[in-house]
């Protein structure tokens, strides 16, 4: 009986000790946990990053509740834009928000990011193409072939229009203009006499003031006004070479795989916050600054602009010939636009 009492007391003591350990464990673990810190660089300069990147990052940092903090850096702040992909791949940056085109992503489909000529008409075209027409799966396939970087999501920004120091009212007026542009859009517009220029984002405004640039074809009028380019240009061409910029979030694969699942989901949710904010911010801004902005609006007549639209379709075929995957994307763009035209207003007029 005494032996039983000893065993019984020992069992009660062990259970109590185990219970105490279990109750205390979360507190001990919480005290020992180190905050995960990531560095993310966006393609956008400081004024623009306040809208296209910061709202989502702030929401993430608040919701992560100390478990993880993302430090946001702006265009060229840590690495030049053209080296952004390699920096994420090497792990010197943990994440990036950018288009594939200007960050020199080594995938065949990178030409379709940013402003692929005349591929879209409105901002909602981009998420519709990625989520409902198969581009998401194609991007996942393309980046699965590249070690070190994981593509997560593509969203839409603003249209791409010319803001210049000289008026553009005819195609002839494009000849000789030195314009700050994205790589693929610049290559396409060269056939109309445009001279694409590449320089650091922060130097663009001064380059226009000194006459090194005649303007930009990098964004819509919201960005032109937000970042100060409207202060050094005079005219805004209403004909867009593309209806919406396509930009993505990229992460270092090892850093991404090391995150617990709940933080992965939270990061993807902040991406959606970012995508949603831009949809309404740009939609409001494009109308507001056309009607109440600083720049005089000009328009190339429809019969002349039709030449640009036809040239875009020819350019699509040239890109389609570069790889089977690019051909698949071009076919999706054709099918999508055919559906939009058939649907009529408000999808296409």
């Amino acid at each position: 009986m005494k032996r039983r009492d000893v065993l019984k007391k020992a069992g009660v003591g062990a259970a109590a000790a185990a219970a105490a350990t279990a109750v205390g464990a979360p507190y001990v673990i919480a005290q020992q946990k180190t905050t995960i810190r990531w560095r993310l660089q966006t393609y956008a300069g400081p004024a623009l990053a306040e809208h296209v990147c910061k709202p989502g990052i702030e929401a993430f940092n608040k919701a992560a509740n100390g478990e993880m903090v993302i430090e946001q850096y702006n265009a060229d702040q840590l690495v030049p834009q053209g080296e952004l992909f390699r920096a994420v791949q090497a792990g010197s940056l943990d994440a990036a928000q950018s288009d594939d085109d200007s960050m020199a992503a080594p995938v065949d489909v990178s030409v379709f990011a940013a402003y692929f000529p005349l591929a879209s008409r409105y901002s909602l075209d981009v998420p519709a193409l990625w989520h409902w027409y198969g581009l998401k799966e194609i991007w996942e396939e393309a980046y699965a072939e590249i070690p070190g970087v994981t593509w997560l999501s593509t969203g839409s920004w603003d249209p791409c229009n010319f803001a210049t120091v000289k008026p553009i009212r005819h195609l002839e007026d494009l000849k000789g203009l030195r314009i700050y542009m994205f790589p693929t859009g610049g290559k396409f517009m060269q056939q109309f006499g445009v001279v694409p220029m590449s320089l650091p984002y922060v130097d663009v405004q001064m380059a226009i003031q000194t006459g090194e640039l005649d303007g930009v074809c990098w964004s819509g009028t919201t960005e032109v006004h937000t970042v100060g380019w409207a202060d050094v240009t005079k005219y805004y061409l209403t004909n867009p070479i593309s209806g919406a910029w396509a930009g993505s979030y990229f992460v270092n694969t090892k850093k991404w795989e090391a995150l617990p699942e709940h933080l992965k989901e939270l990061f993807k949710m902040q991406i959606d916050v970012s995508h949603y904010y831009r949809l309404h911010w740009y939609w409001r801004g494009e109308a507001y600054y056309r009607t109440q902005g600083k720049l005089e609006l000009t328009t190339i007549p429809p019969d002349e602009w039709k030449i640009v639209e036809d040239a875009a379709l020819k350019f699509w075929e040239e890109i389609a010939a570069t790889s089977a995957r690019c051909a698949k994307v071009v076919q999706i763009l054709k099918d999508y636009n055919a559906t939009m035209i058939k649907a009529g207003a408000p999808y296409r007029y």
Side-chain angles (χ1 to χ4, degrees):
M1 291 295 293
K2 288 181 180 180
R3 184 171 179 271
R4 269 201 296 263
D5 288 340
V6 170
L7 290 175
K8 186 176 179 181
K9 290 177 181 178
V12 170
T21 302
V23 170
Y27 176 79
V28 173
I29 292 172
Q31 294 299 304
Q32 293 176 345
K33 188 176 291 185
T34 302
T35 299
I36 299 168
R37 293 190 176 274
W38 271 23
R39 300 196 302 174
L40 177 149
Q41 182 170 308
T42 174
Y43 77 97
L48 187 65
E50 286 288 314
H51 293 281
V52 303
C53 191
K54 189 177 179 180
I57 298 302
E58 287 185 334
F60 177 90
N61 288 340
K62 184 176 182 179
N65 198 31
E67 289 188 62
M68 182 172 172
V69 172
I70 299 174
E71 299 168 357
Q72 176 186 312
Y73 295 89
N74 302 323
D76 304 311
Q77 195 170 353
L78 297 181
V79 300
Q81 175 64 18
E83 298 175 15
L84 192 52
F85 186 92
R86 285 184 292 173
V88 175
Q89 191 173 39
S92 51
L93 286 172
D94 304 295
Q97 180 207 46
S98 177
D99 66 286
D100 323 48
D101 196 25
S102 67
M103 73 186 293
V107 291
D108 50 1
V109 294
S110 65
V111 295
F112 298 105
Y115 293 117
F116 191 63
L118 280 296
S120 61
R121 182 73 62 86
Y122 305 117
S123 54
L124 280 175
D125 289 337
V126 172
L129 281 162
W130 259 264
H131 289 287
W132 299 100
Y133 278 75
L135 294 193
K136 176 179 179 288
E137 289 74 20
I138 290 175
W139 256 245
E140 288 173 340
E141 173 189 274
Y143 281 96
E145 299 171 1
I146 307 298
V149 175
T150 298
W151 168 87
L152 291 181
S153 179
T154 293
S156 66
W157 272 249
D158 49 342
C160 187
N161 298 67
F162 284 87
T164 54
V165 297
K166 304 173 184 177
I168 302 170
R169 295 187 173 93
H170 299 280
L171 288 182
E172 184 74 16
D173 297 331
L174 293 171
K175 291 184 178 179
L177 293 183
R178 294 160 297 173
I179 303 293
Y180 178 59
M181 299 189 72
F182 285 92
T184 299
K187 180 181 178 181
F188 169 70
M189 291 305 296
Q190 277 183 304
Q191 63 188 292
F192 301 104
V194 174
V195 181
M197 303 288 285
S198 177
L199 63 162
Y201 187 92
V202 294
D203 295 338
V204 171
Q205 186 165 339
M206 182 59 70
I208 297 173
Q209 289 178 290
T210 59
E212 182 184 350
L213 288 175
D214 296 306
V216 297
C217 188
W218 183 269
S219 67
T221 187
T222 307
E223 183 168 340
V224 168
H225 282 80
T226 299
V227 305
W229 295 339
D231 298 330
V232 293
T233 54
K234 297 180 180 179
Y235 304 95
Y236 183 80
L237 181 65
T238 61
N239 309 77
I241 69 168
S242 187
W245 193 75
S248 297
Y249 277 83
F250 304 86
V251 292
N252 176 275
T253 301
K254 287 184 178 179
K255 295 291 184 67
W256 178 249
E257 292 176 347
L259 286 184
E261 289 302 314
H262 71 287
L263 289 180
K264 288 181 181 178
E265 289 302 313
L266 190 60
F267 190 85
K268 287 187 284 188
M269 288 172 69
Q270 79 80 16
I271 292 175
D272 287 339
V273 168
S274 178
H275 288 341
Y276 174 67
Y277 181 94
R278 288 191 315 273
L279 277 177
H280 59 76
W281 183 66
Y282 276 123
W283 187 255
R284 173 264 181 188
E286 294 306 298
Y288 178 83
Y289 289 113
R290 280 195 182 203
T291 57
Q292 302 186 50
K294 300 177 180 180
L295 305 180
E296 179 182 333
L297 304 183
T298 64
T299 302
I300 293 176
D303 57 334
E304 285 191 56
W305 193 248
K306 180 69 163 52
I307 297 172
V308 179
E309 293 173 341
D310 291 343
L313 295 178
K314 182 180 178 182
F315 185 77
W316 290 13
E317 295 303 330
E318 293 172 3
I319 298 300
T322 60
S323 75
R325 189 154 53 210
C326 285
K328 189 175 180 180
V329 175
V330 167
Q331 188 58 53
I332 288 173
L333 293 178
K334 288 179 178 179
D335 294 342
Y336 178 80
N337 279 280
T339 299
M340 296 299 105
I341 292 170
K342 188 176 180 180
Y347 297 95
R348 297 291 186 271
Y349 290 90

PDB file of all heavy atoms in Angstrom, residues 56-83:
ATOM      1  N   GLY A  56       0.350  47.963 -48.563  1.00  0.00           N
ATOM      2  CA  GLY A  56       0.381  46.531 -48.307  1.00  0.00           C
ATOM      3  C   GLY A  56       1.435  46.138 -47.293  1.00  0.00           C
ATOM      4  O   GLY A  56       1.201  45.288 -46.422  1.00  0.00           O
ATOM      5  N   ILE A  57       2.598  46.753 -47.375  1.00  0.00           N
ATOM      6  CA  ILE A  57       3.686  46.441 -46.440  1.00  0.00           C
ATOM      7  C   ILE A  57       3.310  46.852 -45.020  1.00  0.00           C
ATOM      8  O   ILE A  57       3.549  46.118 -44.052  1.00  0.00           O
ATOM      9  CB  ILE A  57       4.989  47.152 -46.871  1.00  0.00           C
ATOM     10  CG1 ILE A  57       5.435  46.665 -48.262  1.00  0.00           C
ATOM     11  CG2 ILE A  57       6.087  46.912 -45.845  1.00  0.00           C
ATOM     12  CD1 ILE A  57       5.678  45.187 -48.368  1.00  0.00           C
ATOM     13  N   GLU A  58       2.719  48.030 -44.878  1.00  0.00           N
ATOM     14  CA  GLU A  58       2.293  48.469 -43.544  1.00  0.00           C
ATOM     15  C   GLU A  58       1.247  47.533 -42.955  1.00  0.00           C
ATOM     16  O   GLU A  58       1.266  47.231 -41.760  1.00  0.00           O
ATOM     17  CB  GLU A  58       1.751  49.899 -43.621  1.00  0.00           C
ATOM     18  CG  GLU A  58       2.822  50.960 -43.812  1.00  0.00           C
ATOM     19  CD  GLU A  58       2.259  52.361 -43.751  1.00  0.00           C
ATOM     20  OE1 GLU A  58       1.058  52.539 -44.045  1.00  0.00           O
ATOM     21  OE2 GLU A  58       3.022  53.284 -43.406  1.00  0.00           O
ATOM     22  N   ALA A  59       0.310  47.083 -43.802  1.00  0.00           N
ATOM     23  CA  ALA A  59      -0.719  46.157 -43.335  1.00  0.00           C
ATOM     24  C   ALA A  59      -0.091  44.845 -42.879  1.00  0.00           C
ATOM     25  O   ALA A  59      -0.475  44.267 -41.848  1.00  0.00           O
ATOM     26  CB  ALA A  59      -1.737  45.906 -44.449  1.00  0.00           C
ATOM     27  N   PHE A  60       0.898  44.362 -43.631  1.00  0.00           N
ATOM     28  CA  PHE A  60       1.572  43.117 -43.260  1.00  0.00           C
ATOM     29  C   PHE A  60       2.286  43.266 -41.924  1.00  0.00           C
ATOM     30  O   PHE A  60       2.147  42.410 -41.030  1.00  0.00           O
ATOM     31  CB  PHE A  60       2.585  42.721 -44.339  1.00  0.00           C
ATOM     32  CG  PHE A  60       3.373  41.482 -43.995  1.00  0.00           C
ATOM     33  CD1 PHE A  60       2.914  40.232 -44.370  1.00  0.00           C
ATOM     34  CD2 PHE A  60       4.561  41.564 -43.271  1.00  0.00           C
ATOM     35  CE1 PHE A  60       3.623  39.082 -44.026  1.00  0.00           C
ATOM     36  CE2 PHE A  60       5.274  40.425 -42.927  1.00  0.00           C
ATOM     37  CZ  PHE A  60       4.800  39.181 -43.311  1.00  0.00           C
ATOM     38  N   ASN A  61       3.066  44.329 -41.766  1.00  0.00           N
ATOM     39  CA  ASN A  61       3.841  44.504 -40.541  1.00  0.00           C
ATOM     40  C   ASN A  61       2.938  44.602 -39.313  1.00  0.00           C
ATOM     41  O   ASN A  61       3.273  44.095 -38.241  1.00  0.00           O
ATOM     42  CB  ASN A  61       4.724  45.751 -40.655  1.00  0.00           C
ATOM     43  CG  ASN A  61       5.892  45.537 -41.613  1.00  0.00           C
ATOM     44  OD1 ASN A  61       6.268  44.410 -41.918  1.00  0.00           O
ATOM     45  ND2 ASN A  61       6.450  46.626 -42.094  1.00  0.00           N
ATOM     46  N   LYS A  62       1.804  45.220 -39.475  1.00  0.00           N
ATOM     47  CA  LYS A  62       0.866  45.330 -38.359  1.00  0.00           C
ATOM     48  C   LYS A  62       0.254  43.970 -38.032  1.00  0.00           C
ATOM     49  O   LYS A  62       0.163  43.570 -36.870  1.00  0.00           O
ATOM     50  CB  LYS A  62      -0.233  46.336 -38.702  1.00  0.00           C
ATOM     51  CG  LYS A  62      -1.206  46.601 -37.567  1.00  0.00           C
ATOM     52  CD  LYS A  62      -2.209  47.692 -37.945  1.00  0.00           C
ATOM     53  CE  LYS A  62      -3.158  47.986 -36.797  1.00  0.00           C
ATOM     54  NZ  LYS A  62      -4.129  49.053 -37.148  1.00  0.00           N
ATOM     55  N   ALA A  63      -0.168  43.247 -39.081  1.00  0.00           N
ATOM     56  CA  ALA A  63      -0.825  41.954 -38.863  1.00  0.00           C
ATOM     57  C   ALA A  63       0.148  40.878 -38.390  1.00  0.00           C
ATOM     58  O   ALA A  63      -0.243  39.946 -37.684  1.00  0.00           O
ATOM     59  CB  ALA A  63      -1.509  41.505 -40.151  1.00  0.00           C
ATOM     60  N   ALA A  64       1.422  40.989 -38.752  1.00  0.00           N
ATOM     61  CA  ALA A  64       2.417  39.989 -38.354  1.00  0.00           C
ATOM     62  C   ALA A  64       2.703  40.039 -36.858  1.00  0.00           C
ATOM     63  O   ALA A  64       3.275  39.089 -36.301  1.00  0.00           O
ATOM     64  CB  ALA A  64       3.708  40.179 -39.144  1.00  0.00           C
ATOM     65  N   ASN A  65       2.341  41.138 -36.208  1.00  0.00           N
ATOM     66  CA  ASN A  65       2.378  41.224 -34.744  1.00  0.00           C
ATOM     67  C   ASN A  65       3.747  40.891 -34.151  1.00  0.00           C
ATOM     68  O   ASN A  65       3.863  40.177 -33.152  1.00  0.00           O
ATOM     69  CB  ASN A  65       1.312  40.292 -34.149  1.00  0.00           C
ATOM     70  CG  ASN A  65       0.980  40.639 -32.706  1.00  0.00           C
ATOM     71  OD1 ASN A  65       1.054  41.797 -32.317  1.00  0.00           O
ATOM     72  ND2 ASN A  65       0.621  39.632 -31.919  1.00  0.00           N
ATOM     73  N   GLY A  66       4.793  41.391 -34.784  1.00  0.00           N
ATOM     74  CA  GLY A  66       6.135  41.196 -34.253  1.00  0.00           C
ATOM     75  C   GLY A  66       6.840  39.936 -34.713  1.00  0.00           C
ATOM     76  O   GLY A  66       8.044  39.772 -34.501  1.00  0.00           O
ATOM     77  N   GLU A  67       6.130  39.015 -35.327  1.00  0.00           N
ATOM     78  CA  GLU A  67       6.773  37.786 -35.803  1.00  0.00           C
ATOM     79  C   GLU A  67       7.669  38.050 -37.010  1.00  0.00           C
ATOM     80  O   GLU A  67       8.671  37.379 -37.213  1.00  0.00           O
ATOM     81  CB  GLU A  67       5.713  36.745 -36.197  1.00  0.00           C
ATOM     82  CG  GLU A  67       4.966  36.135 -35.043  1.00  0.00           C
ATOM     83  CD  GLU A  67       4.091  34.987 -35.519  1.00  0.00           C
ATOM     84  OE1 GLU A  67       4.629  33.991 -36.035  1.00  0.00           O
ATOM     85  OE2 GLU A  67       2.857  35.107 -35.396  1.00  0.00           O
ATOM     86  N   MET A  68       7.281  39.055 -37.818  1.00  0.00           N
ATOM     87  CA  MET A  68       8.032  39.353 -39.027  1.00  0.00           C
ATOM     88  C   MET A  68       7.867  40.824 -39.366  1.00  0.00           C
ATOM     89  O   MET A  68       6.800  41.406 -39.155  1.00  0.00           O
ATOM     90  CB  MET A  68       7.554  38.477 -40.190  1.00  0.00           C
ATOM     91  CG  MET A  68       8.297  38.674 -41.497  1.00  0.00           C
ATOM     92  SD  MET A  68       7.804  37.421 -42.719  1.00  0.00           S
ATOM     93  CE  MET A  68       8.643  38.040 -44.181  1.00  0.00           C
ATOM     94  N   VAL A  69       8.929  41.433 -39.880  1.00  0.00           N
ATOM     95  CA  VAL A  69       8.905  42.825 -40.305  1.00  0.00           C
ATOM     96  C   VAL A  69       9.537  42.922 -41.689  1.00  0.00           C
ATOM     97  O   VAL A  69      10.620  42.368 -41.931  1.00  0.00           O
ATOM     98  CB  VAL A  69       9.673  43.738 -39.326  1.00  0.00           C
ATOM     99  CG1 VAL A  69       9.792  45.157 -39.888  1.00  0.00           C
ATOM    100  CG2 VAL A  69       8.994  43.761 -37.973  1.00  0.00           C
ATOM    101  N   ILE A  70       8.835  43.597 -42.602  1.00  0.00           N
ATOM    102  CA  ILE A  70       9.375  43.841 -43.934  1.00  0.00           C
ATOM    103  C   ILE A  70       9.841  45.285 -44.011  1.00  0.00           C
ATOM    104  O   ILE A  70       9.069  46.214 -43.747  1.00  0.00           O
ATOM    105  CB  ILE A  70       8.323  43.584 -45.028  1.00  0.00           C
ATOM    106  CG1 ILE A  70       7.865  42.125 -45.003  1.00  0.00           C
ATOM    107  CG2 ILE A  70       8.884  43.927 -46.410  1.00  0.00           C
ATOM    108  CD1 ILE A  70       6.727  41.825 -45.951  1.00  0.00           C
ATOM    109  N   GLU A  71      11.103  45.482 -44.343  1.00  0.00           N
ATOM    110  CA  GLU A  71      11.660  46.816 -44.543  1.00  0.00           C
ATOM    111  C   GLU A  71      11.569  47.151 -46.026  1.00  0.00           C
ATOM    112  O   GLU A  71      12.083  46.405 -46.863  1.00  0.00           O
ATOM    113  CB  GLU A  71      13.115  46.851 -44.074  1.00  0.00           C
ATOM    114  CG  GLU A  71      13.285  46.532 -42.592  1.00  0.00           C
ATOM    115  CD  GLU A  71      14.736  46.295 -42.211  1.00  0.00           C
ATOM    116  OE1 GLU A  71      15.600  46.331 -43.108  1.00  0.00           O
ATOM    117  OE2 GLU A  71      15.000  46.057 -41.018  1.00  0.00           O
ATOM    118  N   GLN A  72      10.904  48.243 -46.350  1.00  0.00           N
ATOM    119  CA  GLN A  72      10.695  48.629 -47.746  1.00  0.00           C
ATOM    120  C   GLN A  72      11.774  49.603 -48.207  1.00  0.00           C
ATOM    121  O   GLN A  72      12.080  50.580 -47.524  1.00  0.00           O
ATOM    122  CB  GLN A  72       9.326  49.280 -47.917  1.00  0.00           C
ATOM    123  CG  GLN A  72       9.060  49.794 -49.318  1.00  0.00           C
ATOM    124  CD  GLN A  72       7.761  50.568 -49.404  1.00  0.00           C
ATOM    125  OE1 GLN A  72       6.732  50.113 -48.926  1.00  0.00           O
ATOM    126  NE2 GLN A  72       7.807  51.750 -50.000  1.00  0.00           N
ATOM    127  N   TYR A  73      12.346  49.317 -49.388  1.00  0.00           N
ATOM    128  CA  TYR A  73      13.315  50.216 -50.016  1.00  0.00           C
ATOM    129  C   TYR A  73      12.791  50.595 -51.397  1.00  0.00           C
ATOM    130  O   TYR A  73      12.123  49.805 -52.061  1.00  0.00           O
ATOM    131  CB  TYR A  73      14.682  49.543 -50.118  1.00  0.00           C
ATOM    132  CG  TYR A  73      15.276  49.262 -48.759  1.00  0.00           C
ATOM    133  CD1 TYR A  73      15.006  48.064 -48.089  1.00  0.00           C
ATOM    134  CD2 TYR A  73      16.079  50.204 -48.122  1.00  0.00           C
ATOM    135  CE1 TYR A  73      15.531  47.815 -46.826  1.00  0.00           C
ATOM    136  CE2 TYR A  73      16.611  49.958 -46.855  1.00  0.00           C
ATOM    137  CZ  TYR A  73      16.336  48.772 -46.214  1.00  0.00           C
ATOM    138  OH  TYR A  73      16.843  48.528 -44.963  1.00  0.00           O
ATOM    139  N   ASN A  74      13.122  51.803 -51.829  1.00  0.00           N
ATOM    140  CA  ASN A  74      12.570  52.329 -53.075  1.00  0.00           C
ATOM    141  C   ASN A  74      13.532  52.155 -54.247  1.00  0.00           C
ATOM    142  O   ASN A  74      14.622  51.607 -54.086  1.00  0.00           O
ATOM    143  CB  ASN A  74      12.188  53.792 -52.876  1.00  0.00           C
ATOM    144  CG  ASN A  74      11.187  53.971 -51.749  1.00  0.00           C
ATOM    145  OD1 ASN A  74      10.295  53.145 -51.556  1.00  0.00           O
ATOM    146  ND2 ASN A  74      11.349  55.024 -50.966  1.00  0.00           N
ATOM    147  N   ALA A  75      13.132  52.627 -55.402  1.00  0.00           N
ATOM    148  CA  ALA A  75      13.878  52.398 -56.650  1.00  0.00           C
ATOM    149  C   ALA A  75      15.360  52.740 -56.498  1.00  0.00           C
ATOM    150  O   ALA A  75      15.717  53.830 -56.051  1.00  0.00           O
ATOM    151  CB  ALA A  75      13.266  53.240 -57.760  1.00  0.00           C
ATOM    152  N   ASP A  76      16.212  51.772 -56.851  1.00  0.00           N
ATOM    153  CA  ASP A  76      17.673  51.939 -56.891  1.00  0.00           C
ATOM    154  C   ASP A  76      18.296  52.224 -55.515  1.00  0.00           C
ATOM    155  O   ASP A  76      19.465  52.556 -55.431  1.00  0.00           O
ATOM    156  CB  ASP A  76      18.062  53.067 -57.859  1.00  0.00           C
ATOM    157  CG  ASP A  76      17.523  52.858 -59.260  1.00  0.00           C
ATOM    158  OD1 ASP A  76      17.687  51.750 -59.794  1.00  0.00           O
ATOM    159  OD2 ASP A  76      16.929  53.803 -59.826  1.00  0.00           O
ATOM    160  N   GLN A  77      17.529  52.087 -54.453  1.00  0.00           N
ATOM    161  CA  GLN A  77      18.034  52.456 -53.131  1.00  0.00           C
ATOM    162  C   GLN A  77      19.118  51.499 -52.639  1.00  0.00           C
ATOM    163  O   GLN A  77      20.111  51.933 -52.045  1.00  0.00           O
ATOM    164  CB  GLN A  77      16.888  52.520 -52.125  1.00  0.00           C
ATOM    165  CG  GLN A  77      17.252  53.236 -50.836  1.00  0.00           C
ATOM    166  CD  GLN A  77      16.040  53.505 -49.953  1.00  0.00           C
ATOM    167  OE1 GLN A  77      14.901  53.271 -50.344  1.00  0.00           O
ATOM    168  NE2 GLN A  77      16.285  53.998 -48.752  1.00  0.00           N
ATOM    169  N   LEU A  78      18.933  50.207 -52.858  1.00  0.00           N
ATOM    170  CA  LEU A  78      19.941  49.227 -52.459  1.00  0.00           C
ATOM    171  C   LEU A  78      20.709  48.682 -53.657  1.00  0.00           C
ATOM    172  O   LEU A  78      21.926  48.512 -53.591  1.00  0.00           O
ATOM    173  CB  LEU A  78      19.283  48.072 -51.688  1.00  0.00           C
ATOM    174  CG  LEU A  78      18.618  48.445 -50.358  1.00  0.00           C
ATOM    175  CD1 LEU A  78      18.036  47.206 -49.702  1.00  0.00           C
ATOM    176  CD2 LEU A  78      19.612  49.119 -49.416  1.00  0.00           C
ATOM    177  N   VAL A  79      19.985  48.404 -54.740  1.00  0.00           N
ATOM    178  CA  VAL A  79      20.629  47.932 -55.972  1.00  0.00           C
ATOM    179  C   VAL A  79      19.978  48.634 -57.159  1.00  0.00           C
ATOM    180  O   VAL A  79      18.813  49.034 -57.075  1.00  0.00           O
ATOM    181  CB  VAL A  79      20.519  46.398 -56.146  1.00  0.00           C
ATOM    182  CG1 VAL A  79      21.182  45.669 -54.987  1.00  0.00           C
ATOM    183  CG2 VAL A  79      19.062  45.967 -56.271  1.00  0.00           C
ATOM    184  N   PRO A  80      20.691  48.802 -58.273  1.00  0.00           N
ATOM    185  CA  PRO A  80      20.076  49.388 -59.466  1.00  0.00           C
ATOM    186  C   PRO A  80      18.919  48.528 -59.954  1.00  0.00           C
ATOM    187  O   PRO A  80      18.928  47.300 -59.781  1.00  0.00           O
ATOM    188  CB  PRO A  80      21.229  49.413 -60.484  1.00  0.00           C
ATOM    189  CG  PRO A  80      22.469  49.368 -59.662  1.00  0.00           C
ATOM    190  CD  PRO A  80      22.126  48.540 -58.463  1.00  0.00           C
ATOM    191  N   GLN A  81      17.919  49.157 -60.573  1.00  0.00           N
ATOM    192  CA  GLN A  81      16.735  48.442 -61.043  1.00  0.00           C
ATOM    193  C   GLN A  81      17.089  47.250 -61.930  1.00  0.00           C
ATOM    194  O   GLN A  81      16.500  46.179 -61.827  1.00  0.00           O
ATOM    195  CB  GLN A  81      15.797  49.405 -61.791  1.00  0.00           C
ATOM    196  CG  GLN A  81      14.585  48.760 -62.421  1.00  0.00           C
ATOM    197  CD  GLN A  81      13.623  48.135 -61.424  1.00  0.00           C
ATOM    198  OE1 GLN A  81      13.665  48.448 -60.244  1.00  0.00           O
ATOM    199  NE2 GLN A  81      12.755  47.264 -61.898  1.00  0.00           N
ATOM    200  N   GLY A  82      18.062  47.424 -62.812  1.00  0.00           N
ATOM    201  CA  GLY A  82      18.442  46.352 -63.734  1.00  0.00           C
ATOM    202  C   GLY A  82      19.092  45.158 -63.059  1.00  0.00           C
ATOM    203  O   GLY A  82      19.249  44.102 -63.680  1.00  0.00           O
ATOM    204  N   GLU A  83      19.478  45.303 -61.790  1.00  0.00           N
ATOM    205  CA  GLU A  83      20.108  44.208 -61.049  1.00  0.00           C
ATOM    206  C   GLU A  83      19.179  43.631 -59.975  1.00  0.00           C
ATOM    207  O   GLU A  83      19.589  42.804 -59.162  1.00  0.00           O
ATOM    208  CB  GLU A  83      21.402  44.705 -60.388  1.00  0.00           C
ATOM    209  CG  GLU A  83      22.448  45.184 -61.386  1.00  0.00           C
ATOM    210  CD  GLU A  83      23.673  45.776 -60.718  1.00  0.00           C
ATOM    211  OE1 GLU A  83      23.833  45.566 -59.492  1.00  0.00           O
ATOM    212  OE2 GLU A  83      24.458  46.449 -61.399  1.00  0.00           O
TER     213      GLU A  83
END
